[in-house]
Amino acid sequence: MKNENQLQIELKEEVAEGTYANLAIIAHSSSEFVMDFVRMMPGVAKAKVKSRIIMTPEHAKRLALALHDNLMRYEAQFGEINLPERPAFPQAPGYKGDA
């Protein structure tokens, strides 16, 4: 029996390769969350936003819960993820996105 309510998701090859980011900058308004994923390189003063994701507050909360669940499962399998005392890269002071 075919499930007609099953969601089919297309993953294009260029998207499937993924984009590396080592910094996320998150801003919000009353109606949306804007997440900029940035790639910072040591010794390079300028960092580029590689991807921007905009979602509703409800979807942002679902994402946070799903990420938390996956982190708990990851740590149960591979051990605790230890964070350094300070971030590897400095914070982006006065960052203003183009939302």
Side-chain angles (χ1 to χ4, degrees):
M1 184 167 108
K2 184 179 176 184
N3 184 353
E4 294 180 18
N5 292 328
Q6 186 172 2
L7 178 64
Q8 293 185 14
I9 298 173
E10 178 183 350
L11 182 60
K12 295 181 180 180
E13 187 175 338
E14 62 271 14
V15 174
E17 292 176 6
T19 300
Y20 179 77
N22 52 10
L23 175 67
I25 300 170
I26 303 170
H28 66 276
S29 69
S30 62
S31 60
E32 62 192 13
F33 274 71
V34 178
M35 293 166 280
D36 286 338
F37 295 91
V38 179
R39 183 181 308 156
M40 294 183 67
M41 301 302 289
V44 178
K46 190 173 184 178
K48 292 187 177 181
V49 173
K50 303 306 281 184
S51 182
R52 172 173 279 185
I53 304 295
I54 304 168
M55 59 178 57
T56 65
E58 293 83 5
H59 282 102
K61 188 161 189 174
R62 286 186 186 105
L63 174 63
L65 293 170
L67 186 57
H68 180 265
D69 180 58
N70 276 270
L71 283 166
M72 295 299 102
R73 287 191 276 145
Y74 176 94
E75 289 185 329
Q77 183 175 356
F78 300 107
E80 183 178 354
I81 301 167
N82 295 308
L83 297 176
E85 294 280 328
R86 323 187 264 161
F89 295 106
Q91 298 293 324
Y95 174 80
K96 299 206 185 305
D98 297 323

